[in-house]
Amino acid sequence: MSSSLNHFIAADPEKCIGCRLCEVACSQAHSSGSAFTAGALSGPILPRLYVVQTPEITIPVQCRHCEDAPCANCCPVSAITRKNGAIVVETKLCVGCKTCMLACPFGAIELLPVYKNGAPVMQAVLCEEKETAMEEAPMLFAGKCDLCTDRKKGPACVEVCPEKALSIVDPSRMKRERNIKAAMSFLNNSQNFS
Ligand code: SF4
Ligand code: SF4
């Protein structure tokens, strides 16, 4: 990605039918080796985009890869950085404090369990009943869209959407195209008045 502005995935609410295939594809793209054929799921669906369904609208919501990313700015352990033109979470550094989740204006971050070889990674946490005792609970991390930067075929959600409701937006290119369109429109209108 050569543009200086981060790319992001945009969804068209006119086309989205709420089938949630994008969520399944996202989860599969971010799992290591889990089977995703019918009847062979080896773990939960853990997507990094979230389909919103209300009586008025059906649309997946996901990270906009903000240039001045509030999630990265507020992370107390610097677990969120810019990598290959995307805002990404370094899972190993994330402590699950939820600060980024609250800071994101799009609700694009969810605390997800860390999975390895089809099983949740456990960690010691304070016990609910006895505050001084410890117990085992799944390790959590801030899960969000990473534009599938490590996937050769690009974002899985865009690839699988049966309605072609998702697309990769290059903001710089879009701006140039709109500038040209406006200039052509200006030219045409000028000729009409001459
Ligand atoms: S681009 Fe990749 S990470 Fe982002 S929502 Fe789609 S599948 Fe998930
Ligand atoms: S997670 Fe939210 S705040 Fe962070 S870059 Fe994405 S849209 Fe912006």
Side-chain angles (χ1 to χ4, degrees):
M1 296 185 181
S2 57
S3 164
S4 59
L5 293 180
N6 296 334
H7 292 49
F8 62 92
I9 310 285
D12 184 346
E14 298 288 324
K15 292 182 179 173
C16 177
I17 55 171
C19 66
R20 294 183 183 266
L21 208 52
C22 54
E23 289 188 340
V24 176
C26 179
S27 180
Q28 197 270 343
H30 292 88
S31 63
S32 48
S34 296
F36 269 80
T37 50
L41 276 175
S42 60
I45 305 281
L46 299 172
R48 291 154 189 229
L49 77 171
Y50 307 101
V51 175
V52 173
Q53 281 178 311
T54 74
E56 293 81 28
I57 194 167
T58 300
I59 191 174
V61 173
Q62 61 222 94
C63 174
R64 298 295 286 238
H65 298 276
C66 310
E67 300 306 319
D68 186 13
C71 59
N73 291 341
C74 71
C75 178
V77 293
S78 301
I80 305 179
T81 55
R82 186 173 190 262
K83 181 184 163 193
N84 299 330
I87 305 298
V88 299
V89 179
E90 178 55 61
T91 309
K92 285 182 192 142
L93 296 179
C94 178
V95 293
C97 70
K98 310 170 203 70
T99 311
C100 59
M101 197 172 113
L102 299 177
C104 174
F106 293 94
I109 298 183
E110 179 73 273
L111 265 283
L112 300 175
V114 180
Y115 262 71
K116 200 169 180 184
N117 302 325
V121 177
M122 305 301 279
Q123 65 180 355
V125 298
L126 278 174
C127 182
E128 267 189 55
E129 281 85 39
K130 296 179 191 168
E131 283 184 13
T132 50
M134 303 298 280
E135 63 184 353
E136 290 272 290
M139 182 181 281
L140 300 176
F141 79 105
K144 67 178 258 338
C145 169
D146 59 5
L147 287 176
C148 291
T149 48
D150 295 329
R151 192 172 181 269
K152 277 190 191 149
K153 287 160 82 180
C157 55
V158 175
E159 188 186 347
V160 300
C161 178
E163 300 298 314
K164 305 289 175 224
L166 297 168
S167 56
I168 305 169
V169 177
D170 175 346
S172 299
R173 197 181 72 190
M174 180 183 280
K175 180 186 175 300
R176 277 197 305 278
E177 287 171 357
R178 289 193 177 168
N179 285 160
I180 292 168
K181 204 171 164 187
M184 294 308 292
S185 163
F186 181 73
L187 178 67
N188 290 337
N189 287 338
S190 303
Q191 286 170 347
N192 289 339
F193 288 116
S194 60

